[in-house]
Amino acid sequence: MLYAVHEAAYYSATPVRLASQFARDFWSSPFNPAAASRLGRTLFAAADVTANMTRRYGKPAWGIDSVEVNGRPVRVHMETAWRSPWVKMRRFWRDPADLRAAGAVLDTPAVLVVAPLSGHYATLLRGTVQTFLQDHDVYVTDWLNARDVPIVEGRFDFNDYIDHVATMLREIGRRAHVVAVCQPGPPALAASALMAQDDDPLRPASITLMGSPIDARLAPTVTNILAEERPFSWFESNMIYSVPPPYGGAMRRVYPGFVQLYSFMSMNAEKHQEAHKRYFNHLVIGDGDSADKHREFYDEYLSVLDLTEEFYLQTVDVVFQRYLLAKGELDHRGRRVDLGAMRDIGVMTVEGEKDDISGVGQTQAAHALTPNVPDDRHELYVQPGVGHYGVFNGRRFAEEIYPRVRDFIARNEAVSAAP
């Protein structure tokens, strides 16, 4: 019912949205002599804020066309290397001719960036992908919106997620390096362990876990406490809804992205209110650069996707309530996941000092859980002064975190390539 109410609210706001868009166009028109006046700019700002608050935010484009290598621009091409009804594995590759002109190495390590399936699109990692492209052949899991997947395609659960990660690693065709950002840490680590148990020749050469709840019992945050205090039945009863027509996944039971979004925004309501007040003032005074940065952030932040019922509920149960991977009790399709089987897969963890989603300690728990990985292939790093988002994006990531991850990957690439 909530999903239907949400859709009804969107369509009922159509007159307000259209009127605001008309007013915005009117007060920004170069043919309007009053557009540059204080009153004109104020009315334009009010109309723009209203139009943006009532519109639909679709999936943003990747928009990665080039990257700088050795101080020279190198064209970037994107292709779909593998797909299922639930994901498109995107490959971003740098133009060989441009790399030669830049004097760069052509044969570089392959990195699989496992994006979160937790409410936002994988494009949230655009900056992460672009940074890794400086030195790597990059693949990324571009998860699809469950509301658009026809119900005849069946289920997608925690075990399917693990299988997808393993399948994509095999599709890359050589030992790649996994970079799991936030939510995918536990299933990506499980997939790596299962491939190690099978002595799979395409098991990852390393795995880097960034701000991930490997052991959510440690340094619990507000999110962890909520998941622990509420009974599992509460999540079943209050977080799951049926997709209404006309979406392709009509009648599929999902955890709606807008529920996740409202939850996160309510945790920082004052911060978002202040951001929109500043945006309004930037429009009034004509500060276009600041206004553009605000729009760029919220175009991404307000774009959300739905998760299948079974994947969401199993994640709550396995990761946040029973801590099965951390306790060595996770079974995958009747088979125990043995992290001790990882012996030649490097493990790096990256955490943010001010992370209020995955507290410091939750990610680095992976080191104790993989005791058979040689000490020189473990690396633990806590970035001072950043929160959850800063662990994988922004200036501090590019300047302080990424160089460490790059060097870690390079060391493990050399070891895995040695005869």
Side-chain angles (χ1 to χ4, degrees), residues 98-119:
D98 290 353
L99 284 175
R100 292 188 190 95
V105 176
L106 296 182
D107 186 17
T108 52
V111 171
L112 173 62
V113 178
V114 186
L117 182 54
S118 56

PDB file of all heavy atoms in Angstrom, residues 98-119:
ATOM      1  N   ASP A  98      45.674   6.308 -27.125  1.00  0.00           N
ATOM      2  CA  ASP A  98      45.896   7.423 -26.202  1.00  0.00           C
ATOM      3  C   ASP A  98      46.880   7.030 -25.103  1.00  0.00           C
ATOM      4  O   ASP A  98      47.688   7.851 -24.655  1.00  0.00           O
ATOM      5  CB  ASP A  98      44.573   7.868 -25.579  1.00  0.00           C
ATOM      6  CG  ASP A  98      43.656   8.550 -26.578  1.00  0.00           C
ATOM      7  OD1 ASP A  98      44.101   8.797 -27.720  1.00  0.00           O
ATOM      8  OD2 ASP A  98      42.495   8.828 -26.234  1.00  0.00           O
ATOM      9  N   LEU A  99      46.814   5.765 -24.643  1.00  0.00           N
ATOM     10  CA  LEU A  99      47.746   5.312 -23.615  1.00  0.00           C
ATOM     11  C   LEU A  99      49.180   5.310 -24.138  1.00  0.00           C
ATOM     12  O   LEU A  99      50.116   5.708 -23.429  1.00  0.00           O
ATOM     13  CB  LEU A  99      47.360   3.900 -23.134  1.00  0.00           C
ATOM     14  CG  LEU A  99      46.159   3.799 -22.193  1.00  0.00           C
ATOM     15  CD1 LEU A  99      45.835   2.339 -21.919  1.00  0.00           C
ATOM     16  CD2 LEU A  99      46.439   4.527 -20.878  1.00  0.00           C
ATOM     17  N   ARG A 100      49.330   4.875 -25.388  1.00  0.00           N
ATOM     18  CA  ARG A 100      50.679   4.892 -25.975  1.00  0.00           C
ATOM     19  C   ARG A 100      51.195   6.320 -26.069  1.00  0.00           C
ATOM     20  O   ARG A 100      52.370   6.600 -25.786  1.00  0.00           O
ATOM     21  CB  ARG A 100      50.657   4.241 -27.358  1.00  0.00           C
ATOM     22  CG  ARG A 100      50.391   2.735 -27.338  1.00  0.00           C
ATOM     23  CD  ARG A 100      50.588   2.133 -28.716  1.00  0.00           C
ATOM     24  NE  ARG A 100      50.116   0.759 -28.763  1.00  0.00           N
ATOM     25  CZ  ARG A 100      48.916   0.393 -29.167  1.00  0.00           C
ATOM     26  NH1 ARG A 100      48.043   1.326 -29.595  1.00  0.00           N
ATOM     27  NH2 ARG A 100      48.552  -0.865 -29.179  1.00  0.00           N
ATOM     28  N   ALA A 101      50.332   7.225 -26.478  1.00  0.00           N
ATOM     29  CA  ALA A 101      50.740   8.625 -26.596  1.00  0.00           C
ATOM     30  C   ALA A 101      51.111   9.214 -25.239  1.00  0.00           C
ATOM     31  O   ALA A 101      51.966  10.107 -25.152  1.00  0.00           O
ATOM     32  CB  ALA A 101      49.617   9.444 -27.231  1.00  0.00           C
ATOM     33  N   ALA A 102      50.481   8.675 -24.178  1.00  0.00           N
ATOM     34  CA  ALA A 102      50.777   9.161 -22.829  1.00  0.00           C
ATOM     35  C   ALA A 102      51.971   8.434 -22.213  1.00  0.00           C
ATOM     36  O   ALA A 102      52.375   8.750 -21.082  1.00  0.00           O
ATOM     37  CB  ALA A 102      49.549   8.992 -21.935  1.00  0.00           C
ATOM     38  N   GLY A 103      52.523   7.468 -22.953  1.00  0.00           N
ATOM     39  CA  GLY A 103      53.655   6.718 -22.442  1.00  0.00           C
ATOM     40  C   GLY A 103      53.302   5.819 -21.289  1.00  0.00           C
ATOM     41  O   GLY A 103      54.140   5.532 -20.420  1.00  0.00           O
ATOM     42  N   ALA A 104      52.056   5.318 -21.267  1.00  0.00           N
ATOM     43  CA  ALA A 104      51.572   4.493 -20.158  1.00  0.00           C
ATOM     44  C   ALA A 104      51.643   3.014 -20.507  1.00  0.00           C
ATOM     45  O   ALA A 104      51.664   2.626 -21.686  1.00  0.00           O
ATOM     46  CB  ALA A 104      50.132   4.869 -19.819  1.00  0.00           C
ATOM     47  N   VAL A 105      51.652   2.190 -19.485  1.00  0.00           N
ATOM     48  CA  VAL A 105      51.644   0.741 -19.647  1.00  0.00           C
ATOM     49  C   VAL A 105      50.263   0.308 -20.121  1.00  0.00           C
ATOM     50  O   VAL A 105      49.230   0.773 -19.609  1.00  0.00           O
ATOM     51  CB  VAL A 105      51.995   0.043 -18.315  1.00  0.00           C
ATOM     52  CG1 VAL A 105      51.902  -1.460 -18.455  1.00  0.00           C
ATOM     53  CG2 VAL A 105      53.386   0.453 -17.858  1.00  0.00           C
ATOM     54  N   LEU A 106      50.220  -0.591 -21.103  1.00  0.00           N
ATOM     55  CA  LEU A 106      48.931  -1.042 -21.635  1.00  0.00           C
ATOM     56  C   LEU A 106      48.330  -2.175 -20.811  1.00  0.00           C
ATOM     57  O   LEU A 106      47.117  -2.222 -20.592  1.00  0.00           O
ATOM     58  CB  LEU A 106      49.104  -1.501 -23.091  1.00  0.00           C
ATOM     59  CG  LEU A 106      49.524  -0.431 -24.100  1.00  0.00           C
ATOM     60  CD1 LEU A 106      49.612  -1.041 -25.493  1.00  0.00           C
ATOM     61  CD2 LEU A 106      48.548   0.737 -24.092  1.00  0.00           C
ATOM     62  N   ASP A 107      49.161  -3.092 -20.350  1.00  0.00           N
ATOM     63  CA  ASP A 107      48.680  -4.258 -19.612  1.00  0.00           C
ATOM     64  C   ASP A 107      48.666  -3.938 -18.121  1.00  0.00           C
ATOM     65  O   ASP A 107      49.682  -4.032 -17.433  1.00  0.00           O
ATOM     66  CB  ASP A 107      49.570  -5.470 -19.886  1.00  0.00           C
ATOM     67  CG  ASP A 107      49.023  -6.740 -19.248  1.00  0.00           C
ATOM     68  OD1 ASP A 107      47.829  -6.742 -18.881  1.00  0.00           O
ATOM     69  OD2 ASP A 107      49.788  -7.707 -19.100  1.00  0.00           O
ATOM     70  N   THR A 108      47.510  -3.526 -17.605  1.00  0.00           N
ATOM     71  CA  THR A 108      47.397  -3.120 -16.212  1.00  0.00           C
ATOM     72  C   THR A 108      46.447  -4.059 -15.463  1.00  0.00           C
ATOM     73  O   THR A 108      45.643  -4.765 -16.080  1.00  0.00           O
ATOM     74  CB  THR A 108      46.866  -1.674 -16.114  1.00  0.00           C
ATOM     75  OG1 THR A 108      45.662  -1.561 -16.894  1.00  0.00           O
ATOM     76  CG2 THR A 108      47.893  -0.687 -16.633  1.00  0.00           C
ATOM     77  N   PRO A 109      46.521  -4.102 -14.140  1.00  0.00           N
ATOM     78  CA  PRO A 109      45.658  -5.010 -13.365  1.00  0.00           C
ATOM     79  C   PRO A 109      44.181  -4.744 -13.617  1.00  0.00           C
ATOM     80  O   PRO A 109      43.761  -3.602 -13.840  1.00  0.00           O
ATOM     81  CB  PRO A 109      46.039  -4.699 -11.910  1.00  0.00           C
ATOM     82  CG  PRO A 109      47.402  -4.114 -11.985  1.00  0.00           C
ATOM     83  CD  PRO A 109      47.450  -3.355 -13.267  1.00  0.00           C
ATOM     84  N   ALA A 110      43.396  -5.821 -13.577  1.00  0.00           N
ATOM     85  CA  ALA A 110      41.937  -5.707 -13.710  1.00  0.00           C
ATOM     86  C   ALA A 110      41.329  -5.575 -12.317  1.00  0.00           C
ATOM     87  O   ALA A 110      41.669  -6.335 -11.405  1.00  0.00           O
ATOM     88  CB  ALA A 110      41.373  -6.933 -14.410  1.00  0.00           C
ATOM     89  N   VAL A 111      40.444  -4.611 -12.165  1.00  0.00           N
ATOM     90  CA  VAL A 111      39.783  -4.366 -10.887  1.00  0.00           C
ATOM     91  C   VAL A 111      38.280  -4.511 -11.068  1.00  0.00           C
ATOM     92  O   VAL A 111      37.700  -3.909 -11.981  1.00  0.00           O
ATOM     93  CB  VAL A 111      40.115  -2.951 -10.359  1.00  0.00           C
ATOM     94  CG1 VAL A 111      39.256  -2.610  -9.152  1.00  0.00           C
ATOM     95  CG2 VAL A 111      41.591  -2.843 -10.001  1.00  0.00           C
ATOM     96  N   LEU A 112      37.656  -5.321 -10.214  1.00  0.00           N
ATOM     97  CA  LEU A 112      36.199  -5.425 -10.190  1.00  0.00           C
ATOM     98  C   LEU A 112      35.691  -4.620  -9.002  1.00  0.00           C
ATOM     99  O   LEU A 112      35.886  -5.002  -7.845  1.00  0.00           O
ATOM    100  CB  LEU A 112      35.746  -6.880 -10.056  1.00  0.00           C
ATOM    101  CG  LEU A 112      34.225  -7.089  -9.859  1.00  0.00           C
ATOM    102  CD1 LEU A 112      33.437  -6.560 -11.065  1.00  0.00           C
ATOM    103  CD2 LEU A 112      33.905  -8.559  -9.608  1.00  0.00           C
ATOM    104  N   VAL A 113      35.068  -3.483  -9.280  1.00  0.00           N
ATOM    105  CA  VAL A 113      34.474  -2.659  -8.231  1.00  0.00           C
ATOM    106  C   VAL A 113      33.061  -3.191  -7.978  1.00  0.00           C
ATOM    107  O   VAL A 113      32.191  -3.100  -8.846  1.00  0.00           O
ATOM    108  CB  VAL A 113      34.423  -1.176  -8.638  1.00  0.00           C
ATOM    109  CG1 VAL A 113      33.748  -0.352  -7.545  1.00  0.00           C
ATOM    110  CG2 VAL A 113      35.832  -0.649  -8.907  1.00  0.00           C
ATOM    111  N   VAL A 114      32.859  -3.774  -6.805  1.00  0.00           N
ATOM    112  CA  VAL A 114      31.548  -4.307  -6.450  1.00  0.00           C
ATOM    113  C   VAL A 114      30.782  -3.193  -5.739  1.00  0.00           C
ATOM    114  O   VAL A 114      31.086  -2.836  -4.601  1.00  0.00           O
ATOM    115  CB  VAL A 114      31.656  -5.554  -5.558  1.00  0.00           C
ATOM    116  CG1 VAL A 114      30.270  -6.162  -5.339  1.00  0.00           C
ATOM    117  CG2 VAL A 114      32.586  -6.589  -6.192  1.00  0.00           C
ATOM    118  N   ALA A 115      29.822  -2.626  -6.451  1.00  0.00           N
ATOM    119  CA  ALA A 115      29.059  -1.490  -5.935  1.00  0.00           C
ATOM    120  C   ALA A 115      27.994  -1.960  -4.955  1.00  0.00           C
ATOM    121  O   ALA A 115      27.494  -3.086  -5.039  1.00  0.00           O
ATOM    122  CB  ALA A 115      28.410  -0.742  -7.097  1.00  0.00           C
ATOM    123  N   PRO A 116      27.607  -1.105  -4.032  1.00  0.00           N
ATOM    124  CA  PRO A 116      26.569  -1.484  -3.072  1.00  0.00           C
ATOM    125  C   PRO A 116      25.226  -1.719  -3.757  1.00  0.00           C
ATOM    126  O   PRO A 116      24.877  -1.022  -4.709  1.00  0.00           O
ATOM    127  CB  PRO A 116      26.483  -0.273  -2.138  1.00  0.00           C
ATOM    128  CG  PRO A 116      27.715   0.524  -2.385  1.00  0.00           C
ATOM    129  CD  PRO A 116      28.120   0.256  -3.790  1.00  0.00           C
ATOM    130  N   LEU A 117      24.498  -2.695  -3.257  1.00  0.00           N
ATOM    131  CA  LEU A 117      23.099  -2.876  -3.626  1.00  0.00           C
ATOM    132  C   LEU A 117      22.311  -2.550  -2.364  1.00  0.00           C
ATOM    133  O   LEU A 117      21.863  -3.416  -1.623  1.00  0.00           O
ATOM    134  CB  LEU A 117      22.843  -4.316  -4.083  1.00  0.00           C
ATOM    135  CG  LEU A 117      21.414  -4.648  -4.547  1.00  0.00           C
ATOM    136  CD1 LEU A 117      20.947  -3.690  -5.640  1.00  0.00           C
ATOM    137  CD2 LEU A 117      21.320  -6.086  -5.026  1.00  0.00           C
ATOM    138  N   SER A 118      22.191  -1.252  -2.119  1.00  0.00           N
ATOM    139  CA  SER A 118      21.598  -0.821  -0.851  1.00  0.00           C
ATOM    140  C   SER A 118      20.748   0.431  -1.003  1.00  0.00           C
ATOM    141  O   SER A 118      20.580   1.194  -0.052  1.00  0.00           O
ATOM    142  CB  SER A 118      22.703  -0.574   0.179  1.00  0.00           C
ATOM    143  OG  SER A 118      23.644   0.371  -0.298  1.00  0.00           O
ATOM    144  N   GLY A 119      20.227   0.655  -2.194  1.00  0.00           N
ATOM    145  CA  GLY A 119      19.310   1.778  -2.374  1.00  0.00           C
ATOM    146  C   GLY A 119      19.724   2.766  -3.442  1.00  0.00           C
ATOM    147  O   GLY A 119      18.872   3.355  -4.101  1.00  0.00           O
TER     148      GLY A 119
END
